[in-house]
């Protein structure tokens, strides 16, 4: 917890200095809800059916966007490196031959991305980004349970993974300092330790964000140069 507090404090300090210096840093908040499908398997692990009702997912991140020098790209493009820190909540519910499963995990995520922006006007931009997201579970108690079909009242706690690597890409549109788009997120492993559930793959999510500063470097027609 102390490490998280120190990291948030450092990000806030960077935000203050970047605003005063009119640097090519942009800071803001991004996040949104999403869902992934659940699946049914037989005793041999073969797929049987997909439940498209959705399993919930959510993200809320403080983000940093570092705009690379504009002379590296044409006037209508901007390239930036992004990093963030925030909260993620993800669940999984699957049916196997002989038992049902349910997992719920809450933790800290650190998105690391590259983003390209296509500048439509001085205030309107289309963006495409992608990268990796290390995720650390910080749930106070294990939230994975297993329920055999022959005795649905019996639940066994098997625990969640402490660390998982995720990856994602997103696309959307930005109006001034506000943006809205779609995020496609996947996890490399199941969130339960036993590996019996489904990976959060894919998660379809809404991404909404608001940014502070730096927009003057994102004008399609401008004499400003960012270095």
């Amino acid at each position: 917890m102390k490490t998280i507090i120190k990291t948030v404090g450092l990000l806030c300090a960077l935000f203050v200095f970047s605003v005063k210096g009119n640097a090519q840093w942009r800071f803001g908040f991004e996040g949104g809800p999403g869902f992934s499908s659940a699946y049914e398997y037989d005793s041999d692990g073969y797929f049987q059916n997909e439940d498209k009702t959705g399993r919930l997912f959510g993200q809320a991140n403080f983000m940093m966007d570092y705009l690379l020098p504009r002379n590296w790209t044409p006037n209508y493009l901007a390239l930036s490196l992004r990093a963030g820190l925030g909260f993620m909540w993800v669940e999984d519910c699957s049916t196997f031959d002989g038992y049902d499963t349910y997992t719920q995990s809450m933790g800290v995520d650190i998105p690391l991305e590259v983003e390209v922006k296509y500048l439509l006007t001085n205030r309107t931009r289309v963006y495409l980004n992608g990268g990796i997201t290390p995720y650390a579970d910080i749930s106070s108690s294990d939230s994975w349970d297993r329920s055999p079909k022959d005795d649905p009242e019996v639940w066994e706690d098997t625990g969640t993974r402490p660390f998982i690597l995720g990856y994602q890409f997103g696309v959307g549109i930005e109006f001034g300092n506000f943006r809205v788009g779609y995020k496609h997120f996947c996890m490399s492993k199941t969130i339960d330790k036993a590996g019996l559930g489904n990976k959060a793959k894919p998660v379809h999510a809404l991404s909404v964000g608001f940014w502070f500063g730096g927009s003057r470097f994102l004008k399609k027609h401008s004499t400003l140069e960012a270095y």
Side-chain angles (χ1 to χ4, degrees):
M1 182 60 68
K2 290 183 178 179
T3 301
I4 296 174
I5 294 174
K6 289 180 180 178
T7 304
V8 173
L10 177 61
L11 294 177
C12 292
L14 287 173
F15 167 70
V16 172
F17 286 119
S18 69
V19 171
K20 288 184 177 181
N22 290 321
Q24 59 266 40
W25 284 98
R26 293 205 307 164
F27 293 82
F29 297 94
E30 279 189 17
F35 71 92
S36 61
S37 298
Y39 304 93
E40 295 181 1
Y41 301 87
D42 62 18
S43 57
D44 296 320
Y46 290 104
F47 172 78
Q48 289 183 322
N49 186 42
E50 179 180 3
D51 178 1
K52 296 184 178 181
T53 56
R55 300 298 175 259
L56 297 179
F57 167 90
Q59 268 184 317
N61 293 309
F62 176 76
M63 298 292 297
M64 301 182 296
D65 184 298
Y66 183 75
L67 182 66
L68 297 176
R70 289 295 307 278
N71 61 344
W72 290 9
T73 58
N75 287 339
Y76 54 85
L77 291 179
L79 188 64
S80 60
L81 303 177
R82 291 159 41 91
L85 176 69
F87 172 82
M88 182 188 294
W89 184 84
V90 60
E91 68 177 20
D92 173 43
C93 182
S94 310
T95 300
F96 296 79
D97 184 67
Y99 55 88
D100 297 328
T101 63
Y102 179 73
T103 312
Q104 186 180 81
S105 180
M106 294 170 285
V108 174
D109 66 329
I110 306 175
L112 303 169
E113 299 177 330
V114 176
E115 180 171 282
V116 60
K117 302 176 183 68
Y118 182 82
L119 311 182
L120 300 175
T121 69
N122 282 349
R123 292 189 56 81
T124 307
R125 306 169 279 275
V126 175
Y127 69 85
L128 175 67
N129 57 44
I132 61 173
T133 299
Y135 169 76
D137 180 274
I138 58 171
S139 302
S140 58
S141 61
D142 292 334
S143 55
W144 166 269
D145 294 317
R146 183 179 64 181
S147 173
K149 286 184 177 179
D150 55 355
D151 190 355
E153 299 302 322
V154 177
W155 291 82
E156 298 179 6
D157 190 350
T158 61
T160 55
R161 295 184 189 274
F163 177 83
I164 307 174
L165 183 64
Y167 52 98
Q168 74 283 333
F169 72 85
V171 61
I173 189 167
E174 196 171 274
F175 304 96
N177 291 332
F178 176 79
R179 62 164 51 187
V180 60
Y182 163 78
K183 175 175 283 190
H184 183 100
F185 179 82
C186 298
M187 281 186 161
S188 59
K189 296 181 179 180
T190 61
I191 55 179
D192 67 284
K193 288 181 179 178
L196 297 175
N198 294 292
K199 301 175 184 177
K201 182 181 181 179
V203 172
H204 305 285
L206 172 69
S207 179
V208 178
F210 186 84
W211 292 84
F212 305 93
S215 294
R216 72 191 189 112
F217 292 108
L218 291 173
K219 293 182 178 181
K220 186 175 182 179
H221 305 289
S222 175
T223 58
L224 290 172
E225 295 181 348
Y227 293 96

